[in-house]
Amino acid sequence: MTSMKFANILLETNPRSVAYPALYCRSDHPVIFNEAQGEWEMYGAGTFDFSTYFNSLSVKKLKQFTKAKSFTLHLELKGAACEVQQTMGDAFAHDPIEVEGVRQELPASSQWQSVDMPLTITDDMVIVGFIIKTEGSVDIRNSYYELEIDGDLNDVELVLSTTTFKKEAFIERNIGLVKEQIVESADPIAEHFHMYVMDNGRTLDAEKLTSDRITVIPNDNVGGAGGFTRGMITAMEQDPKATNILLMDDDVAVSPESIKRTYNLLRILKEEHREDMISGAMLNYEIGEDQWEDIGNMTPQGTFAGCKPGMRLTLFEDLIYNEMFTPTKWQRDNMYAAWWYCCIPISVIEKNGLPLPVFVRCDDAEYGIRCKTGFITMNSLCVWHMSFFERYNAAVERYQTTRNTMIAQATCGMAPDADFMKELHNNIRLELKKFGYANAELCLDAFEDFLKGPEFIKKPGQSEKSFMAANRNKEQLVDFETLQAQADKDPELAGFRIEDVDRQLIDGDKPRSMPERLEDLITDNNQRYVKKDGSGYAVIPLQGWLYPAGAIRGKHKLIVLDWYNRKGYIRTKDVKRYEAIKKRYARDLKYYKANIERLRKEYTAARAELTSIAYWKHYLKMD
């Protein structure tokens, strides 16, 4: 049996830990950091519950996926008298349950006292944790869960690869955290780790930021797909060769402890799980206790979706649900791990090839579905990421997503039963009803680029050109001051004042009768069959998937607002433009029906080349 420290008891000082302390410790008194001593003080007599997202132990999954056989809690405490009690949660638990017979009492002491408490683990336990009940202030330091492993530890060389494009504040902070808390730490990971930063924007000071085990590489703007692929190739060719690569977005906040636990998890995986991907969760950057997704799937409708419902990770019952969730058969067959935090074995890359050259969007989904590995998720493995509402970009959602899902399905067989043509039809029609003609045209641009076949995306630089063109062709939002000036010049928008807009107006809609619903369905908001200019205006949100049907019906103008970024755009109903788009769409569909079988064969034949090291090295100018 081999002993190893698996997870530190984590307490942090950052905006999320201050705003959402119950991710770390639930208590009826403060937990205060003494910076001079590097210690934490549980302040005052009270109960401090560490059965939390970061400080509970996922014993059910550890028993399932790893060689762990027994579990011990190590604590170092000093101060008032206190009692340490093991807790657990089973499938039915709403609150931590104290485990009978597993507790230790400590007398008051001004000296540090160590607690090494073997934990009782039964088959029905999902997570375990502990509570400290104090009679006064108690300090805590150097505390962790220790595991006994059946056999030797796995040899692991971990690469962290992140791709950045002009996100200096995020990436420089993350480089600093990694350097201080991983590379310069005394933990075993420090000697078996390297971080590569692919700087697609070439805006970082590579010489200044590069140091021992951290390398910043200036790169062409080849998107996330190109940056992460370069990270994969570099990881395979480094000495010693990496065993696993952790892909992580640039615009995230991360706790280095999550990376340490990922490394430790890799060291103890059972042989049959060593080629599983580890999928870290996306927590909401703005609402730090909320989990958006930790494993995704391509739906039958052809959309990206999390497998799990949203979780609030300060709720104990959600910690249990997060660990117990079982995907449906559809989800298992069409499952992927998003690359905001995804750890992939190098052997899986060698077997399945590299990603497709699609620049951004769908690269991670296609790759996860293609590789058909198992997926491991676990409480505490996560990043905080900006929500999709706050960074909506029509060039991504209407051009990139439309084109890339079709390419991925045709080339690598991604989600063969997902209906991307139906999704295209729905998106075009939704944009037309909302007078989003430029966005509908982006959908058709994407569709037509797919119809050009694999030779189109194969050319180095083409993906960047296409994305830049989509950004030029999308609606060009203006700041609120400019928007107001535009509205002031338009008699139809008389009375509009941006300062009068609030969330209630943005989120609101109006009810429709059944005849009104039928009319909207048949006429696309009076642009087909029954053609009316409409009158007045409505204020609606930017996000393309939203459909405030009652608010927009019968209107001539729509003021579209990006509420989060304080920008907007004025749309005007244009029946002639609507008709031109419909005519173009009909022409494209005719070509699609006549050529789709040929195109599928061409894309399938191109797969080996597009996912090869030789192709990518040429594409990335590495040869």
Side-chain angles (χ1 to χ4, degrees):
M1 299 283 278
T2 303
S3 177
M4 71 167 295
K5 181 170 72 171
F6 177 72
N8 294 301
I9 303 305
L10 183 64
L11 293 164
E12 295 186 297
T13 52
N14 55 46
R16 290 161 300 285
S17 63
V18 172
Y20 305 99
L23 288 170
Y24 303 83
C25 177
R26 299 182 191 89
S27 59
D28 50 14
H29 281 71
V31 182
I32 302 169
F33 182 58
N34 184 329
E35 190 168 359
Q37 302 297 324
E39 303 158 2
W40 291 84
E41 179 181 2
M42 294 175 280
Y43 188 80
T47 299
F48 299 84
D49 182 3
F50 291 83
S51 313
T52 58
Y53 179 71
F54 279 110
N55 288 320
S56 61
L57 195 63
S58 301
V59 290
K60 186 176 184 68
K61 286 189 173 178
L62 287 170
K63 289 170 64 179
Q64 176 185 354
F65 295 115
T66 78
K67 299 179 281 189
K69 293 300 179 183
S70 62
F71 308 85
T72 300
L73 173 65
H74 173 84
L75 301 174
E76 293 183 14
L77 306 170
K78 74 173 180 180
C82 63
E83 174 187 299
V84 181
Q85 169 70 58
Q86 181 189 338
T87 61
M88 60 81 81
D90 59 18
F92 306 99
H94 293 278
D95 295 295
I97 301 168
E98 295 187 3
V99 178
E100 186 175 349
V102 188
R103 69 182 186 87
Q104 288 192 27
E105 295 183 358
L106 276 73
S109 174
S110 60
Q111 303 299 313
W112 288 103
Q113 302 181 80
S114 291
V115 174
D116 287 288
M117 191 164 74
L119 301 173
T120 294
I121 307 298
T122 60
D123 290 342
D124 61 338
M125 293 181 181
V126 179
I127 61 177
V128 299
F130 62 98
I131 293 174
I132 301 178
K133 302 175 183 177
T134 70
E135 295 181 10
S137 292
V138 173
D139 293 344
I140 182 171
R141 72 173 188 187
N142 191 32
S143 298
Y144 52 86
Y145 290 105
E146 188 174 45
L147 277 55
E148 290 289 332
I149 308 302
D150 183 10
D152 296 329
L153 298 174
N154 303 325
D155 291 329
V156 175
E157 294 291 335
L158 180 62
V159 159
L160 170 62
S161 178
T162 186
T163 299
T164 187
F165 184 79
K166 299 181 180 180
K167 299 278 177 51
E168 295 86 353
F170 277 100
I171 198 66
E172 289 179 6
R173 181 175 64 244
N174 288 338
I175 289 173
L177 285 172
V178 166
K179 181 179 180 181
E180 177 185 350
Q181 298 189 34
I182 294 180
V183 174
E184 296 177 353
S185 74
D187 294 313
I189 187 176
E191 298 300 317
H192 302 278
F193 174 87
H194 203 110
M195 180 181 188
Y196 295 104
V197 179
M198 303 305 166
D199 180 17
N200 283 1
R202 296 179 180 260
T203 56
L204 298 175
D205 187 336
E207 184 176 352
K208 176 183 176 182
L209 294 172
T210 294
S211 61
D212 183 38
R213 297 189 178 275
I214 298 174
T215 305
V216 176
I217 301 176
N219 203 34
D220 288 347
N221 186 18
V222 288
F228 284 129
T229 300
R230 183 160 188 170
M232 291 177 180
I233 295 171
T234 305
M236 288 190 280
E237 295 186 345
Q238 73 171 25
D239 186 20
K241 177 181 176 180
T243 59
N244 302 79
I245 182 168
L246 174 58
L247 307 180
M248 189 174 79
D249 268 350
D250 58 343
D251 55 344
V252 299
V254 62
S255 169
E257 178 67 18
S258 290
I259 300 172
K260 292 180 182 180
R261 293 182 188 182
T262 299
Y263 172 79
N264 290 337
L265 180 60
L266 293 170
R267 297 179 76 201
I268 60 177
L269 288 176
K270 295 176 181 176
E271 186 63 32
E272 60 266 32
H273 292 293
R274 291 193 68 180
E275 290 200 337
D276 290 355
M277 293 187 191
I278 298 173
S279 182
M282 173 186 168
L283 275 56
N284 189 334
Y285 192 86
E286 296 78 33
I287 309 172
E289 63 187 340
D290 286 359
Q291 176 177 292
W292 284 102
E293 177 182 311
D294 68 355
I295 197 74
N297 79 110
M298 185 62 67
T299 69
Q301 294 75 33
T303 60
F304 305 99
C307 292
K308 302 176 182 179
M311 302 280 182
R312 178 143 290 180
L313 299 176
T314 50
L315 300 177
F316 188 77
E317 61 188 284
D318 278 14
L319 300 184
I320 300 293
Y321 188 12
N322 210 24
E323 297 292 273
M324 290 289 291
F325 180 86
T326 301
T328 65
K329 183 180 185 307
W330 173 276
Q331 290 173 339
R332 290 196 303 273
D333 291 341
N334 300 280
M335 191 178 292
Y336 62 85
W339 288 353
W340 50 67
Y341 192 103
C342 173
C343 189
I344 306 174
I346 295 298
S347 59
V348 168
I349 299 171
E350 292 172 334
K351 288 178 182 178
N352 295 279
L354 295 165
L356 291 174
V358 292
F359 200 74
V360 295
R361 206 74 165 110
C362 193
D363 47 351
D364 50 1
E366 182 281 319
Y367 198 75
I369 295 171
R370 185 206 312 176
C371 292
K372 297 296 182 188
T373 67
F375 294 93
I376 300 172
T377 65
M378 189 173 289
N379 286 340
S380 81
L381 305 183
C382 67
V383 293
W384 286 269
H385 200 296
M386 297 286 284
S387 68
F388 296 118
F389 268 91
E390 294 211 17
R391 51 196 180 94
Y392 181 83
N393 181 349
V396 173
E397 302 301 335
R398 292 301 183 235
Y399 178 81
Q400 290 291 139
T401 299
T402 301
R403 187 197 69 174
N404 294 351
T405 51
M406 291 182 175
I407 290 173
Q409 190 178 59
T411 308
C412 298
M414 181 191 75
D417 296 323
D419 193 343
F420 296 114
M421 288 302 296
K422 185 176 181 180
E423 175 68 0
L424 169 67
H425 179 77
N426 289 340
N427 287 339
I428 291 174
R429 197 154 184 211
L430 178 57
E431 292 292 358
L432 290 177
K433 288 180 179 180
K434 298 191 295 182
F435 316 153
Y437 306 114
N439 296 337
E441 288 166 346
L442 286 178
C443 291
L444 291 179
D445 291 344
F447 187 35
E448 290 163 6
D449 283 351
F450 164 72
L451 295 176
K452 293 173 184 175
E455 292 300 320
F456 179 73
I457 65 162
K458 188 183 295 185
K459 295 176 288 186
Q462 182 58 56
S463 289
E464 181 188 9
K465 291 178 184 176
S466 297
F467 185 51
M468 295 300 104
N471 271 302
R472 289 192 302 271
N473 294 335
K474 71 181 181 181
E475 293 175 335
Q476 299 304 309
L477 306 182
V478 298
D479 60 65
F480 279 178
E481 183 178 357
T482 304
L483 183 73
Q484 183 65 64
Q486 293 174 350
D488 289 343
K489 296 176 183 178
D490 191 332
E492 291 186 86
L493 301 179
F496 171 75
R497 294 290 177 269
I498 191 67
E499 60 265 25
D500 295 335
V501 177
D502 58 16
R503 180 177 172 182
Q504 183 177 356
L505 177 61
I506 287 288
D507 290 348
D509 197 3
K510 295 179 180 179
R512 294 181 298 164
S513 66
M514 188 56 67
E516 288 173 336
R517 289 173 180 268
L518 185 60
E519 179 186 13
D520 292 343
L521 176 66
I522 294 171
T523 70
D524 283 351
N525 201 1
N526 295 133
Q527 298 175 97
R528 180 175 64 164
Y529 305 132
V530 178
K531 301 173 184 178
K532 301 177 183 177
D533 281 344
S535 61
Y537 71 91
V539 180
I540 65 170
L542 171 72
Q543 287 74 23
W545 54 77
L546 300 177
Y547 180 39
I552 68 173
R553 71 179 319 272
K555 297 296 188 288
H556 182 61
K557 295 207 171 184
L558 299 176
I559 301 175
V560 183
L561 296 185
D562 180 351
W563 180 255
Y564 300 97
N565 296 301
R566 304 180 68 81
K567 292 185 177 182
Y569 185 82
I570 299 171
R571 295 176 181 170
T572 302
K573 178 183 274 191
D574 187 339
V575 174
K576 288 185 178 179
R577 193 172 179 185
Y578 168 92
E579 291 173 340
I581 292 170
K582 293 287 285 187
K583 184 177 180 179
R584 178 183 169 191
Y585 182 33
R587 184 194 66 217
D588 290 347
L589 285 176
K590 183 178 179 180
Y591 183 89
Y592 169 84
K593 291 173 183 177
N595 292 276
I596 185 57
E597 293 306 320
R598 171 184 61 81
L599 286 166
R600 285 174 179 154
K601 290 177 182 177
E602 290 177 1
Y603 275 110
T604 301
R607 169 180 170 173
E609 178 185 359
L610 292 174
T611 61
S612 68
I613 290 178
Y615 167 81
W616 269 105
K617 280 195 167 184
H618 175 67
Y619 187 96
L620 296 169
K621 302 177 182 177
M622 296 176 68
D623 52 7

